[in-house]
Amino acid sequence: MTLPELLVLFLAFFEIGLFTFGGGYAMIPMIEEAVLRHGWLANTSFSLVDFIAVSESTPGPFAVNIATFIGMTEAGIPGAILATVGVVLPSFIVILLIARFFRAFSGHPIVKAVLSGIRPVVVGILFTVMLSLTVKALFHSPLWPLAWSDFDWKALVIFAVIFGLSRLNKKIGPIILILFSAGLGILLYGLV
Amino acid sequence: MKNPPSIGAPDNKVRLSTLFGVFAKIGAFTFGGGYAMIALISKESVEKRKWLNESEFLDLIAIAESTPGPIAVNSATYLGYKLRGFWGSFFATLGVVLPSFVVIVILSYFLEAFRHLTWVGYAFQGIAAGVAVLIINAALKLFKSVPKNWLSFVLIVFGFILAVTDLIPTPLVILSGGILGFLIHLSSRRKSGESL
């Protein structure tokens, strides 16, 4: 890949990083559009759907995974680095500015008042997240529409075991619980 | 250091290598989107290391959610800056990104084989159930940190309903919480006869 092409790769992911709110999955339509516009992934036997599936089943932020992936496929390690830096840089700059502002004004009564309204609302949003992740785990479907025929008892067993463990001994860290649930998944879905 | 670090001031005791290490761990073990990461970050930064209290953690989520980019990256940059300024944010962000980067670069050579590993899919179905538990525990803990009065109860229900019905995008839900907080502040000021 030539230098201008690498620059295009960087700028495309910078744009994607700058204009997606609310996490990595919101990026998929913009990534699709960029892949079409720039003719990426034309020389591989894999489609964007494969890339999305792999990015979902590897650790780390989805946005970073998919950027690294496309960059790597298009231009090797330099491409992977530029695409990843591109997708991360807008967040980095915006958050630095906000954190600076926050440090200067966090004691101001208006900022305090605004935050006192935001905190309970965030708790409400987290309740929604908690509900939709639970439904997704147990039914493999979104919150709505919900069908009992989709109910997965194996997922419920894993859910119950992990819940019990986390309540029984609060010292068990989240990483151990994640590894344990992965093991239970392989055991229940693969062997039972 | 004679004075204990105050909240909001850079704490020089947190080493850059610690920040990098903690976020590399978080990056390496987050599956299934940024929300899964909330549980891990709260465990590490609130419970284990006391870098933040619960209210500050809710502020962190609000900021990470209402700014562009991945939640994980936003949280790392913010927390890194809060603890150690620019280089703190640099190393925390590098930490959260690096494990994914390395895994994907290696995987891209074995993509064909990886795609056909059925047990990877099974493991991920298991992880989905485990992550749901982690989020439930984290959300309940954060719920306990909110002041118990009818006003915060109303705001929680407000946030829940707007988010669950997906009526407006999440950053706008957070923004409206902020506006309500400001209006409540104004009206209580007016009641007590003070000017702003």
Side-chain angles (χ1 to χ4, degrees):
Chain A
M1 213 179 222
T2 60
L3 203 61
E5 283 173 310
L6 280 172
L7 198 65
V8 166
L9 190 71
F10 171 80
L11 288 176
F13 275 99
F14 188 88
E15 192 190 343
I16 291 167
L18 185 61
F19 290 108
T20 18
F21 289 83
Y25 295 109
M27 281 179 187
I28 292 176
M30 271 190 90
I31 291 176
E32 256 177 333
E33 198 263 331
V35 166
L36 279 177
R37 182 158 36 113
H38 300 290
W40 294 335
L41 310 184
N43 304 319
T44 79
S45 58
F46 298 100
S47 67
L48 184 62
V49 177
D50 296 321
F51 277 47
I52 292 172
V54 174
S55 300
E56 277 179 332
S57 47
T58 40
F62 174 81
V64 173
N65 294 347
I66 192 102
T68 309
F69 224 145
I70 292 177
M72 186 73 194
T73 320
E74 287 308 301
I77 304 264
I81 293 175
L82 281 176
T84 307
V85 171
V87 87
V88 168
L89 203 57
S91 312
F92 188 77
I93 296 169
V94 170
I95 294 283
L96 273 188
L97 294 175
I98 290 180
R100 280 203 121 117
F101 167 86
F102 224 69
R103 181 176 289 171
F105 296 104
S106 63
H108 193 280
I110 292 182
V111 174
K112 278 186 175 169
V114 167
L115 287 175
S116 71
I118 284 179
R119 284 174 193 145
V121 168
V122 171
V123 170
I125 293 170
L126 284 176
F127 281 157
T128 303
V129 170
M130 161 180 126
L131 195 66
S132 72
L133 285 184
T134 307
V135 165
K136 202 176 159 210
L138 300 184
F139 292 84
H140 310 291
S141 78
L143 212 52
W144 185 263
L146 202 56
W148 278 108
S149 55
D150 292 334
F151 183 73
D152 177 3
W153 65 268
K154 289 176 181 174
L156 181 67
V157 171
I158 300 171
F159 180 87
V161 170
I162 300 295
F163 189 78
L165 271 179
S166 74
R167 291 280 143 166
L168 226 57
N169 186 347
K170 301 224 162 154
K171 285 204 182 105
I172 303 177
I175 290 173
I176 303 290
L177 291 174
I178 286 175
L179 291 176
F180 200 66
S181 57
L184 282 175
I186 294 171
L187 199 73
L188 282 177
Y189 292 103
L191 303 175
V192 177
Chain B
M1 262 174 70
K2 279 175 192 168
N3 301 318
S6 67
I7 286 170
D11 174 4
N12 289 317
K13 280 180 190 162
V14 179
R15 298 164 67 112
L16 292 176
S17 58
T18 310
L19 263 175
F20 176 81
V22 165
F23 275 97
K25 198 161 94 180
I26 290 168
F29 285 95
T30 303
F31 299 90
Y35 286 113
M37 192 160 266
I38 288 175
L40 263 83
I41 299 178
S42 105
K43 192 83 182 182
E44 282 288 337
S45 66
V46 181
E47 283 176 56
K48 213 162 131 191
R49 298 175 192 273
K50 316 265 183 239
W51 286 342
L52 300 171
N53 61 36
E54 273 95 355
S55 329
E56 289 173 307
F57 189 71
L58 287 173
D59 300 343
L60 170 80
I61 300 177
I63 289 169
E65 273 264 39
S66 49
T67 45
I71 295 174
V73 174
N74 294 346
S75 312
T77 309
Y78 182 79
L79 198 53
Y81 185 83
K82 187 174 162 59
L83 294 171
R84 285 298 306 270
F86 176 82
W87 289 110
S89 63
F90 179 83
F91 280 104
T93 308
L94 189 66
V96 87
V97 167
L98 208 56
S100 313
F101 183 84
V102 172
V103 167
I104 294 285
V105 165
I106 294 172
L107 244 169
S108 65
Y109 294 106
F110 308 101
L111 189 57
E112 188 63 43
F114 184 80
R115 207 164 43 154
H116 296 295
L117 290 178
T118 45
W119 64 266
V120 173
Y122 298 147
F124 272 93
Q125 282 188 307
I127 287 173
V131 163
V133 172
L134 294 181
I135 282 289
I136 291 174
N137 288 342
L140 291 180
K141 197 157 277 159
L142 291 169
F143 168 66
K144 281 183 197 153
S145 77
V146 172
K148 296 285 163 296
N149 53 46
W150 67 268
L151 199 60
S152 33
F153 180 72
V154 169
L155 287 171
I156 290 172
V157 174
F158 171 81
F160 177 76
I161 290 176
L162 282 186
V164 85
T165 51
D166 215 5
L167 278 176
I168 55 174
T170 313
L172 292 183
V173 180
I174 293 171
L175 180 71
S176 48
I179 293 172
L180 285 174
F182 177 66
L183 292 177
I184 293 161
H185 170 79
L186 272 189
S187 73
S188 67
R189 278 282 170 124
R190 193 156 296 161
K191 252 183 232 165
S192 57
E194 290 172 61
S195 62
L196 192 67

